Amino acid sequence: MVIREVEITNFGKLHNVKLSFQDGMNVVYGDNETGKSTIHAAVRAILFGLDRQRGKASRTDEYSRYEPWANPSSYEGMLRFQEGRAVYRIYRCFGRNHKKTEIINETTGEELSEEELRQLLNGMTESSFTNTLCVGQMKTAPGQSFTEELQNTAANYLSAGDTEWDIRRAFAFFAAEKKELMKKYQPKLEETVRSAERELCAIEEELLQQSMHKEKAQAELREMRKEIEKEKQAYENSNKRKRLVYTELGISIVSFFIMILCYILNDWRDGVWIFGILALTSGFFAWKGHRLTKTSFAFMEAEKRERLLSDQIRKVEWKLEQMRERAAMYQNSLEGCRRQLEENQKLHKQIESLILAEQTLKKVAASMQSTISGQMMDHMSQLLSEITKGRYQKIYFQGNQELFLYEEGRKIPLYQLSRGTAEQVYLALRIAAADCVMGYYTFPLLLDENFVYYDDERLKNTLSVLAEQKRQIVVFTCHHREETFLREMEKNCLLLRL
């Protein structure tokens, strides 16, 4: 693929800009703030589209960043490229109320869809383009060195062939998520629930026994009350007999004394017999009446036993009430524990899912690495050897953690190299990744101010290697060194000035 022409009507600070490119090397020169990075962004937007994000994100997204202040309805551009013998034209209008896209095969006059354009670009996505062939100075995160960022980028490329896969960040995310979930997870909660269930069963068993004891006591009390009722009736009857008993006892006593008196007075034959029989009869009835009065004592004993049983039942009821309160408390606690146990089980499943996802990612990364890394590392080593004139002949990535370069048999860690050499490694990495991902399809390489840290010798070597690449290369720069060195080396180069 070769970009033939870019025409920008209104995009950021650029208005009515038209640039034509050739095969091979192209150098776009312009001072700072003349719009080199804007052209870079416009090419990407025309190729892959540019959508406005929603909400707060729309204030700082790329759409708003390049939306022109003047005449925003003409927020548009056109790109013409050649693939094989056919020439294609992509026109896009990004205006909020005037969005429009036209993709035309100018050779045949046929209009293409977005899907057909993706197929024409060999499946290249905006992210893949940005992460491989659209090369700017490498940006590092706050607190992170260039070397660390480069090693992380290399890990992602070698594991998946694309920096969209941030392997280290993914594993860090898994570790952080597991840590947060483990803080909430209670491994002994299930045992606590089982212990509470056992305690509740014991309370319910004791509650059942006490209830049975209460029912037995109540049945005994009912029988006792029936007996008391009988004793009470007998007691009431005995009260009526008491007076008669006392009368009979009095008659018996008086008759006995009269009988004695008659015997003393020798008038005993009739008197003794009469009063003796009367005394005996009265005494017999008094004795029998006395036996009936004993029911009063039985009645009193029954009442005493009734009070004891009633007290016992009240104690059992109080104990039952206490146990019901304990059972209710344990039941509420158990319900809360069961709810927590459900949450705990969900947390356990989430932790297991994270572990499974982490293991799966490791397997996928290892599988992709085995497919990609060998080919990519060899290509990357070859490019770096050419760029550095054979000084660094091989790049080695140890354990997906650290990059090493070999210089005359010595293994040198990346952090010991200069920023310029590290930038060369970065460039070799991007080109090697693009070649491995795209295969035979040669997409243009766009370089935006990539050679700031290069000394003259390093820049000459790099430009010489790039000029021999079998692809179109567009270099955006604010320096004259690129043009000067390419002319000195008699390399075919098209210079465009902004």
Side-chain angles (χ1 to χ4, degrees), residues 375 379 383 430-440 469 471:
Q375 178 186 358
H379 190 24
L383 284 169
R430 296 290 287 263
I431 296 173
D435 289 342
C436 289
V437 171
M438 298 304 295
Y440 67 90
Q469 287 275 309
R471 59 159 45 93

Side-chain angles (χ1 to χ4, degrees), residues 212-226 309 313:
M212 292 171 65
H213 182 59
K214 175 186 173 183
E215 289 176 1
K216 184 179 177 181
Q218 286 176 334
E220 189 177 347
L221 183 60
R222 284 193 295 270
E223 292 297 323
M224 179 62 67
R225 282 173 176 166
K226 289 178 182 179
L309 277 172
I313 289 171

Side-chain angles (χ1 to χ4, degrees), residues 252 255 259 270-284:
S252 177
S255 297
M259 182 187 73
D270 295 328
V272 170
W273 285 103
I274 292 170
F275 287 104
I277 291 169
L278 181 61
L280 288 172
T281 303
S282 300
F284 173 75

Side-chain angles (χ1 to χ4, degrees), residues 358-390:
E358 187 176 20
Q359 292 172 347
T360 303
L361 182 60
K362 285 180 180 178
K363 290 179 181 178
V364 172
S367 175
M368 296 186 72
Q369 182 182 355
S370 65
T371 305
I372 295 172
S373 60
Q375 178 186 358
M376 185 170 163
M377 290 300 294
D378 289 343
H379 190 24
M380 187 175 169
S381 297
Q382 179 185 354
L383 284 169
L384 187 64
S385 177
E386 292 174 358
I387 290 173
T388 59
K389 291 289 187 181

Side-chain angles (χ1 to χ4, degrees), residues 105-133:
N105 182 336
E106 293 188 334
T107 305
T108 63
E110 179 186 3
E111 186 170 355
L112 281 67
S113 65
E114 291 279 4
E115 180 59 32
E116 289 173 322
L117 175 62
R118 278 192 291 272
Q119 294 176 6
L120 190 62
L121 299 179
N122 200 36
M124 173 73 77
T125 64
E126 180 181 5
S127 176
S128 298
F129 178 65
T130 303
N131 292 324
T132 55
L133 294 161

Side-chain angles (χ1 to χ4, degrees), residues 335-480:
E335 287 177 2
C337 286
R338 282 171 179 160
R339 286 193 295 270
Q340 289 181 0
L341 186 59
E342 289 178 2
E343 292 297 320
N344 217 42
Q345 289 170 346
K346 290 179 182 177
L347 288 172
H348 187 259
K349 288 181 180 178
Q350 290 176 349
I351 292 170
E352 286 184 335
S353 298
L354 282 172
I355 293 172
L356 179 61
E358 187 176 20
Q359 292 172 347
T360 303
L361 182 60
K362 285 180 180 178
K363 290 179 181 178
V364 172
S367 175
M368 296 186 72
Q369 182 182 355
S370 65
T371 305
I372 295 172
S373 60
Q375 178 186 358
M376 185 170 163
M377 290 300 294
D378 289 343
H379 190 24
M380 187 175 169
S381 297
Q382 179 185 354
L383 284 169
L384 187 64
S385 177
E386 292 174 358
I387 290 173
T388 59
K389 291 289 187 181
R391 179 175 181 179
Y392 300 105
Q393 298 176 351
K394 187 173 179 59
I395 299 175
Y396 178 67
F397 199 58
Q398 182 175 348
N400 280 359
Q401 293 297 323
E402 191 171 1
L403 275 171
F404 291 91
L405 273 64
Y406 281 91
E407 180 185 22
E408 297 178 352
R410 289 189 306 120
K411 188 170 72 171
I412 304 173
L414 186 63
Y415 65 84
Q416 291 185 1
L417 301 173
S418 67
R419 176 64 185 262
T421 303
E423 287 280 359
Q424 286 180 310
V425 173
Y426 178 53
L427 179 60
L429 172 64
R430 296 290 287 263
I431 296 173
D435 289 342
C436 289
V437 171
M438 298 304 295
Y440 67 90
Y441 190 88
T442 54
F443 213 88
L445 175 64
L446 278 62
L447 304 172
D448 187 11
E449 297 289 3
N450 286 92
F451 307 126
V452 175
Y453 291 94
Y454 286 40
D455 57 36
D456 290 350
E457 188 63 28
R458 197 187 308 266
L459 179 57
K460 284 182 181 180
N461 293 339
T462 302
L463 289 174
S464 177
V465 173
L466 290 177
E468 299 301 322
Q469 287 275 309
K470 295 179 180 180
R471 59 159 45 93
Q472 183 184 41
I473 296 174
V474 182
V475 178
F476 295 87
T477 181
C478 63
H479 302 282
H480 292 284

